Amino acid sequence: MGSELTLGGFGQQPERRGRLSKDQRALVRRAEHDRDTLLYEAKKQEFTAALRKRQTDNALYDITDVTHLAQELAAGDPYLAQQLDIIVKSFTRETASDLRRFGNGLGL
């Protein structure tokens, strides 16, 4: 009996297991490779999502900072406020575009 004997579930007879055939070993290797590939892809997607969230949060803080800075610099001057608003809007559009393009061409 020795180490070849494995126990079955309740009401099942123990079965004997010998060495795996070449095809069985190949099947096991393929299953392990597929599992590892899925785990890698899941971790990659999780990392990408975390990075995208961090970039989005940072971008929102940057936009808020630029907006407040523009308000301080304008100091109530309507003409200056109008000119600075153009810069703030351009910065906001570019930041949003950067976030949308994040990962393009990198396989992310």
Side-chain angles (χ1 to χ4, degrees), residues 1-59:
M1 289 203 171
S3 65
E4 299 174 25
L5 186 62
T6 59
L7 298 176
F10 180 73
Q12 295 179 350
Q13 294 294 322
E15 61 181 81
R16 289 191 179 272
R17 285 197 180 177
R19 291 183 45 155
L20 297 176
S21 70
K22 184 177 181 181
D23 290 338
Q24 289 171 327
R25 286 191 307 272
L27 186 60
V28 167
R29 275 194 306 275
R30 171 74 187 250
E32 289 173 350
H33 179 282
D34 291 347
R35 182 200 63 214
D36 292 344
T37 301
L38 286 173
L39 286 172
Y40 170 78
E41 287 299 321
K43 288 192 181 292
K44 184 172 129 182
Q45 287 179 0
E46 183 179 351
F47 174 77
T48 303
L51 188 58
R52 186 182 300 274
K53 182 183 180 322
R54 176 176 268 180
Q55 281 189 315
T56 301
D57 290 346
N58 289 343

Side-chain angles (χ1 to χ4, degrees), residues 1 14 39-40 49 53 55 85 94-95 98 102 104 108:
M1 289 203 171
L39 286 172
Y40 170 78
K53 182 183 180 322
Q55 281 189 315
D85 188 52
E94 284 301 313
T95 302
D98 290 346
F102 169 75
N104 289 352
L108 298 177

